[in-house]
């Protein structure tokens, strides 16, 4: 057991690179503590998108420290991702002008489609950059960039994997892990959710309930940003040394491209 500068007893949480802990206050109250948290977290908590923040401060050598309520519950499963609460949280996040303005004040910048692809190519592990198939996907994305307008860009999460969602025992749903957040087209989030969790037969209903029209232009954006979502997830798996999952994701990307080449 270790202690931080605030006197909390800290127990490391597995799988968080030594940055996340379960803390215990002197009165026995459990809290969630994480270091190097993005400064946008308090604003997200105020919007009830991420768990309530109890305290924030900067500590020398470890950066931003955030203390949040300890929530008893579970992470969502794949089958949970079609829940109404998930879509409601995305709508709340994507259409919040207050959240967007807060992100801009915190020096988040607009990420255009070209920038997103180039960033993937720059940050991806060597084995992925040297993969001829993935390189051809990137080239195709750069050759068919979707339109982008800053005035309709929104704050997005960037990694809606089901393990980044939690549901409390009381039924509240929250989104966590904000390191990939940025300001761009909200389709980055929407397309990932659709391609990874929502049956193709349900896309029209989901998109309309979210607020999109259902037409060829919207589907073309789903196709473009969906591919980028697969690329990002492949990188996550490789960085976690889960090559089996990475190969499954590459195979899923191939199937997705084949399907949409027939549709569009």
């Amino acid at each position: 057991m270790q202690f931080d500068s605030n006197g909390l007893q800290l127990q490391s949480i597995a799988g968080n690179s030594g940055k996340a802990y379960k803390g215990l206050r002197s009165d026995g109250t459990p809290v969630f503590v994480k270091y190097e948290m993005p400064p946008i977290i308090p604003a997200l908590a105020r919007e009830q998108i991420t768990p309530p923040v109890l305290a924030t401060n900067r500590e020398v050598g470890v950066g931003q420290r955030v203390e949040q309520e300890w929530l008893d519950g579970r992470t969502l499963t794949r089958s949970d991702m079609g829940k109404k609460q998930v879509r409601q949280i995305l709508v709340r996040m994507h259409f919040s002008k207050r959240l967007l303005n807060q992100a801009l004040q915190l020096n988040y910048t607009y990420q255009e489609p070209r920038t997103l692809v180039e960033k993937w190519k720059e940050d991806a592990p060597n084995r992925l950059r040297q993969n001829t198939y993935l390189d051809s996907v990137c080239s195709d994305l750069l050759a068919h960039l979707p339109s982008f307008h800053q005035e309709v860009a929104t704050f997005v999460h960037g990694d809606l994997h089901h393990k980044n969602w939690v549901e409390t025992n009381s039924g509240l749903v929250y989104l966590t892990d904000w390191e990939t957040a940025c300001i761009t087209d909200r389709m980055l989030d929407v397309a990932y959710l659709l391609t990874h969790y929502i049956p193709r037969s349900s896309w029209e209903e989901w998109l309309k309930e979210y607020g999109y029209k259902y037409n060829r232009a919207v589907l073309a954006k789903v196709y473009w940003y969906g591919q980028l979502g697969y690329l990002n997830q492949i990188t996550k798996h490789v960085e976690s040394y889960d090559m089996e999952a990475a190969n499954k994701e590459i195979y899923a990307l191939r199937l997705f491209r084949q399907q949409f080449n027939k549709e569009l």
Side-chain angles (χ1 to χ4, degrees):
M1 186 74 69
Q2 61 187 104
F3 293 82
D4 72 357
S5 60
N6 293 276
L8 285 176
Q9 295 183 26
L10 299 179
Q11 180 180 353
S12 181
I13 297 174
N16 282 277
S17 303
K19 299 176 183 177
Y21 301 85
K22 180 177 183 179
L24 197 65
R25 290 180 168 179
S26 58
D27 62 0
T29 302
V31 293
F32 175 78
V33 179
K34 190 168 183 179
Y35 294 89
E36 299 182 20
M37 286 275 262
I40 193 73
I41 296 298
L44 291 162
R46 286 192 293 271
E47 298 284 343
Q48 298 181 327
I49 295 170
T50 207
V53 170
L54 303 175
T56 63
N57 64 285
R58 297 195 65 83
E59 294 190 9
V60 177
V62 294
Q64 180 86 356
R65 172 191 179 279
V66 175
E67 196 175 307
Q68 294 176 281
E69 285 188 16
W70 181 265
L71 302 175
D72 290 319
R74 64 182 181 87
T75 58
L76 295 191
T77 63
R78 297 184 64 87
S79 60
D80 291 323
M81 294 300 287
K83 285 188 172 185
K84 185 178 180 180
Q85 295 112 307
V86 170
R87 186 174 63 250
Q88 288 174 333
I89 286 178
L90 293 185
V91 169
R92 195 182 311 149
M93 172 174 60
H94 293 158
F95 291 91
S96 173
K97 292 297 184 183
R98 181 169 57 181
L99 187 56
L100 174 61
N101 290 335
Q102 181 71 52
L104 290 169
Q105 292 173 20
L106 292 170
N107 297 319
Y108 283 85
T109 57
Y110 291 97
Q111 302 290 305
E112 298 188 4
R114 177 180 295 278
T115 306
L116 294 173
V117 178
E118 290 175 345
K119 186 176 186 303
W120 184 87
K121 294 180 68 175
E122 180 180 331
D123 295 345
N126 283 334
R127 66 190 306 166
L128 295 183
R129 290 202 302 267
Q130 295 168 1
N131 183 296
T132 55
Y133 176 69
L134 298 182
D135 184 62
S136 71
V137 172
C138 288
S139 296
D140 192 45
L141 290 176
L142 291 171
H144 301 91
L145 293 169
S147 60
F148 177 80
H149 305 284
Q150 284 193 7
E151 60 270 20
V152 294
T154 63
F155 184 77
V156 304
H157 182 276
D159 181 14
L160 296 184
H161 193 277
H162 61 274
K163 291 184 179 179
N164 289 334
W165 296 81
V166 296
E167 182 177 24
T168 69
N169 290 341
S170 61
L172 296 175
V173 174
Y174 292 110
L175 184 53
T176 65
D177 292 330
W178 294 90
E179 286 74 15
T180 56
C182 63
I183 300 174
T184 189
D185 194 310
R186 63 185 185 271
M187 187 57 82
L188 180 65
D189 281 344
V190 170
Y192 180 92
L193 188 73
L194 290 176
T195 56
H196 284 78
Y197 300 111
I198 307 300
R200 179 66 183 88
S201 58
S202 300
W203 284 15
E204 180 175 0
E205 178 185 5
W206 196 99
L207 285 165
K208 287 181 176 178
E209 289 181 349
Y210 170 91
Y212 274 110
K213 295 180 180 179
Y214 185 77
N215 54 36
R216 188 179 182 86
V218 170
L219 288 177
K221 271 196 167 185
V222 172
Y223 178 56
W224 196 93
Y225 283 98
Q227 293 177 80
L228 185 59
Y230 279 109
L231 291 175
N232 289 335
Q233 193 59 57
I234 291 164
T235 298
K236 289 278 186 181
H237 289 316
V238 171
E239 290 175 342
S240 300
Y241 304 101
D242 191 344
M243 293 311 302
E244 180 180 357
N247 288 328
K248 286 181 178 179
E249 199 78 13
I250 293 173
Y251 180 68
L253 171 59
R254 286 182 181 271
L255 293 181
F256 175 69
R257 284 169 56 86
Q258 289 171 8
Q259 175 189 349
F260 261 79
N261 280 332
K262 295 176 182 178
E263 285 196 38
L264 296 179

